[in-house]
Amino acid sequence: MSTSVRASIGDVRSLPSTLRAQLAEPLTRPERAVSLTLAVVAAVACLLGFFPRPVDGVGMRLLVAITSTFLAMWLGRLALRQKSRGGAITATLVFGALLGALNAQLPVILLFAGERHGSFVAVLLAGCLLGALVGGVIGVLYGIAFAPFVAWVRKRLGPTFDDVDRVHEACGGALAGYAAFFALLTRAIGPTTRFGDLGLALMALAGLGVFARARGRRRARRRFVDTIAHGRTQGLRLRVARPDEPLDQLPVVDGEGAVLEAYGDDGYRDAPVPLARVALH
């Protein structure tokens, strides 16, 4: 318990103030988990054909899925590093539109190149313009689908012991939820395939596995705190936090009503040392 707790404290940093700093700053573990979740969802959506398909086929779907994977990871990075939940939602929609416009360029340009009736420059410009318009609309739709998940995670990012597990729990639930949504969507607007059904099933199972593991770690942490609350852990105890205490620098374990502190059994030891803020049960 102690090793994972100490490791998770440093996973949340202050947010960079400029876009350049946001792009250059290495991803924290929660940010990496969210970015990978968005990347998986975007890639699966493209493999299922949820993108502008003037030129379609296995090769095109794989190519668009690869580009969407990287663009979705950048979307997660930019959205989570906004300073508020509203900023995260706005960034998801705005950058979703921009990245969607960029991602649609290749299929549309290939379509225009195959049906070319003019100079190469004119075809290229027309393809870029139409790709930007169509891809921008598709990107906004993806942004609308991603925004609730990003906002939920952004609201809960903070200097907590269980921050990583809470984010992993959200990511697992999101994978399972998006898999169910795609399964319904494929049956509503188009035919599905055995590969598509298998991929969605694997995506849902992976999400449920991540969710269960993160939930189990959080429950184990709560059980550990409960043993302290009942006086069954030597050297550690819980007490109610006082309003005038300077506890802002202490990490949070799923709540803030009580203080977890280490103490000695005799007068020769140091005074009790506050370790964390925890839920008051």
Side-chain angles (χ1 to χ4, degrees):
M1 187 313 190
S2 60
T3 302
S4 62
V5 165
R6 286 195 298 269
S8 65
I9 298 175
D11 286 322
V12 181
R13 294 189 294 265
S14 58
L15 299 175
S17 57
T18 65
L19 179 60
R20 181 177 180 181
Q22 292 174 20
L23 294 175
E25 188 76 9
L27 289 174
T28 64
R29 289 175 64 191
E31 291 169 349
R32 188 180 301 112
V34 173
S35 296
L36 287 175
T37 299
L38 294 180
V40 169
V41 173
V44 170
C46 292
L47 291 175
L48 292 172
F50 298 141
F51 66 95
R53 289 185 290 166
V55 179
D56 198 6
V58 175
M60 180 55 65
R61 292 194 183 194
L62 287 173
L63 180 60
V64 176
I66 292 172
T67 58
S68 297
T69 296
F70 290 102
L71 294 176
M73 292 189 70
W74 282 107
L75 175 62
R77 173 194 291 259
L78 293 170
L80 284 180
R81 292 190 172 177
Q82 304 308 306
K83 296 183 178 180
S84 66
R85 184 173 53 169
I89 294 174
T90 302
T92 303
L93 297 176
V94 172
F95 288 111
L98 294 175
L99 297 178
L102 178 63
N103 201 34
Q105 296 298 313
L106 184 58
V108 176
I109 290 175
L110 289 176
L111 173 66
F112 272 66
E115 304 291 336
R116 186 168 62 182
H117 298 288
S119 67
F120 174 78
V121 175
V123 169
L124 182 63
L125 292 177
C128 290
L129 178 61
L130 183 59
L133 293 175
V134 175
V137 173
I138 299 297
V140 169
L141 295 178
Y142 273 91
I144 293 174
F146 289 156
F149 168 61
V150 171
W152 192 94
V153 174
R154 179 63 192 88
K155 181 181 179 180
R156 286 156 178 79
L157 284 178
T160 69
F161 277 143
D162 61 342
D163 181 69
V164 175
D165 291 325
R166 287 196 296 170
V167 171
H168 284 179
E169 191 175 294
C171 291
L175 285 175
Y178 283 123
F181 173 70
F182 288 156
L184 294 174
L185 198 59
T186 54
R187 283 157 176 77
I189 66 175
T192 186
T193 63
R194 291 182 180 179
F195 173 79
D197 289 337
L198 178 60
L200 290 176
L202 292 175
M203 177 177 166
L205 289 175
L208 292 175
V210 172
F211 177 88
R213 182 177 183 274
R215 176 61 65 89
R217 287 170 59 89
R218 291 187 65 193
R219 286 179 175 174
R221 194 171 290 123
R222 291 194 190 104
R223 288 194 298 268
F224 177 74
V225 173
D226 287 340
T227 61
I228 299 173
H230 289 87
R232 295 195 295 267
T233 304
Q234 186 176 4
L236 296 175
R237 67 187 179 192
L238 292 181
R239 60 173 177 79
V240 177
R242 296 188 296 271
D244 58 341
E245 284 187 286
L247 302 175
D248 293 341
Q249 299 302 315
L250 291 180
V252 180
V253 181
D254 222 4
E256 303 184 36
V259 178
L260 169 65
E261 62 183 12
Y263 69 98
D265 294 330
D266 53 58
Y268 296 100
R269 301 191 182 184
D270 295 332
V273 178
L275 301 177
R277 289 173 287 170
V278 299
L280 182 61
H281 299 289

